[in-house]
Amino acid sequence: MSQTSSRSNYQMQLWALILGIALMAIKFIAWWFTNSNAVLSDALESIINVVAGAFALYSLVIAAQPRDHNHPYGHGKIEFVSAGFEGALIFLAGISIIGKAIYNLNVPQPIGALDLGVILTVVTGGFNYLMGIYLERRGRKVESTIMVASGKHLQSDAWSSLGLIIGLGLVWATGWYVLDSVIAIMFALLIIYTGYGLVRSAMAGIMDETDTALVAEIVEQLQTHRSSHWIDIHNLRVIKYGANLHIDCHMTLPWYFTTREAHQEVDAFSRLANDNRENPVELFVHVDPCTPVSCPLCMKEDCAYRKYAFEKRVEWKMENVVVNERHGV
């Protein structure tokens, strides 16, 4: 990732943290006036927003550091750790909210100033949603797991605020204050689900789980712009290191190509893989020489060493490119 992009991501996350602190203060003010469990649940989640935002900011600094002797693939994996940390905090916040709501079902507390609580919740929810949308879009553009996770979390918080507004309206209209604790429990379950999703996504990244959508996109790009010299590509693997991608694969080229010619084809492959990507893609390509069994699927028309006639063009798809086996007709 370029220094300019890293600096922009850092500044964006810093503004999100500052906004999160301000919104947290507003939510606790709303709880102070209303004494509502539902409002308190929203305020407690804001603590998570601030803590997670601070850790995300730190993680962006670490992830932007260049690779070194101890980290030959860079520091991008910290993004998955940050997303998992945020998810775990969200999960714990949901559990604590449920505990307090159950307590207040048995020990009810008076609620007041609902009109002020609704107004402050509308303001904080709107800001959270707008910031969440921007962070997620920016994160997807620069392929930053941290920013996508933060954006989704803020949007989830905004939807919770919308539900909170509806719930407080019902409490005000009906006078059934028990609804306050019931609404808090419903929000807590939504918060727990959001936290689980972030932890699950983070574990997938740490364990190098295949991102099928990403691999399919890369394979489609190779298929669309493939060279006639590239007889076969197989054993393709894509690993994410934060915002950076690393691709391993085997490429079958004509056996009579010189080292220089083979290197030119690998360079062309690299340029194609990096095309239209915000961050550089690193490739390790193992070159295999063709054999007579490659002839029926080889599309190279000017081959003076062909043993068998061309029979069929093999369409590259994720299902056959990731397999560690040369293609055949």
Side-chain angles (χ1 to χ4, degrees):
M1 184 182 300
S2 67
Q3 291 185 348
T4 302
S5 181
S6 297
R7 190 181 304 111
S8 177
N9 292 347
Y10 178 84
Q11 292 173 347
M12 195 65 248
Q13 189 65 48
L14 177 60
W15 279 112
L17 176 60
I18 294 172
L19 178 63
I21 294 174
L23 296 181
M24 179 183 68
I26 294 174
K27 289 182 180 182
F28 272 102
I29 291 173
W31 169 67
W32 177 265
F33 281 104
T34 63
N35 198 33
S36 165
N37 274 323
V39 174
L40 176 61
S41 70
D42 206 24
L44 288 176
E45 189 184 7
S46 291
I47 297 178
I48 306 303
N49 287 345
V50 171
V51 174
F55 189 76
L57 191 65
Y58 168 76
S59 299
L60 283 175
V61 174
I62 298 299
Q65 293 182 2
R67 63 186 67 187
D68 52 36
H69 178 72
N70 292 325
H71 304 88
Y73 292 101
H75 302 77
K77 286 284 187 181
I78 188 67
E79 294 205 8
F80 298 119
V81 177
S82 175
F85 176 74
E86 181 174 355
L89 289 179
I90 294 171
F91 191 91
L92 292 176
I95 296 296
S96 66
I97 291 169
I98 289 176
K100 188 176 187 308
I102 291 176
Y103 171 78
N104 286 128
L105 282 173
N106 299 313
V107 185
Q109 292 183 345
I111 302 174
L114 289 181
D115 52 348
L116 177 62
V118 169
I119 292 173
L120 294 179
T121 302
V122 168
V123 171
T124 58
F127 276 111
N128 268 335
Y129 184 76
L130 293 175
M131 178 59 75
I133 287 288
Y134 187 85
L135 275 180
E136 183 179 5
R137 288 179 178 176
R138 172 67 183 176
R140 293 193 184 282
K141 179 181 179 182
V142 300
E143 298 179 316
S144 172
T145 304
I146 297 176
M147 299 187 72
V148 171
S150 295
K152 285 185 174 181
H153 183 191
L154 290 178
Q155 290 177 66
S156 174
D157 192 22
W159 286 115
S160 297
S161 297
L162 176 61
L164 174 61
I165 294 167
I166 296 173
L168 290 177
L170 290 174
V171 173
W172 177 80
T174 63
W176 297 347
Y177 294 109
V178 69
L179 287 176
D180 181 59
S181 293
V182 173
I183 293 168
I185 292 174
M186 294 172 60
F187 288 160
L189 292 175
L190 176 62
I191 291 170
I192 289 173
Y193 179 77
T194 301
Y196 167 78
L198 288 177
V199 172
R200 174 68 183 84
S201 176
M203 290 300 297
I206 292 173
M207 297 297 292
D208 294 327
E209 181 178 307
T210 300
D211 186 336
T212 54
L214 176 62
V215 175
E217 175 189 335
I218 293 173
V219 172
E220 181 180 2
Q221 187 176 18
L222 294 176
Q223 167 66 23
T224 303
H225 303 283
R226 63 194 287 182
S227 167
S228 61
H229 299 317
W230 304 348
I231 301 173
D232 185 35
I233 290 179
H234 58 280
N235 198 25
L236 184 141
R237 292 168 292 179
V238 180
I239 304 173
K240 298 181 68 175
Y241 291 91
N244 299 318
L245 296 182
H246 176 89
I247 299 178
D248 290 340
C249 73
H250 288 213
M251 173 185 286
T252 303
L253 296 175
W255 64 265
Y256 51 85
F257 269 23
T258 65
T259 304
R260 178 177 297 176
E261 290 172 323
H263 184 71
Q264 289 174 346
E265 295 304 320
V266 172
D267 280 347
F269 181 92
S270 177
R271 288 193 298 272
L272 178 59
N274 279 278
D275 190 30
N276 296 323
R277 292 205 169 272
E278 181 78 16
N279 304 303
V281 179
E282 181 184 57
L283 289 94
F284 283 171
V285 180
H286 175 83
V287 175
D288 292 326
C290 69
T291 64
V293 297
S294 305
C295 290
L297 53 84
C298 176
M299 298 185 297
K300 187 172 174 58
E301 298 179 354
D302 58 346
C303 179
Y305 300 93
R306 179 179 291 277
K307 300 296 184 181
Y308 303 101
F310 171 75
E311 295 182 18
K312 177 183 177 182
R313 170 189 167 109
V314 175
E315 298 296 319
W316 293 343
K317 301 179 181 178
M318 189 187 74
E319 294 77 12
N320 59 21
V321 170
V322 299
V323 178
N324 186 17
E325 183 178 341
R326 295 191 186 195
H327 298 143
V329 294

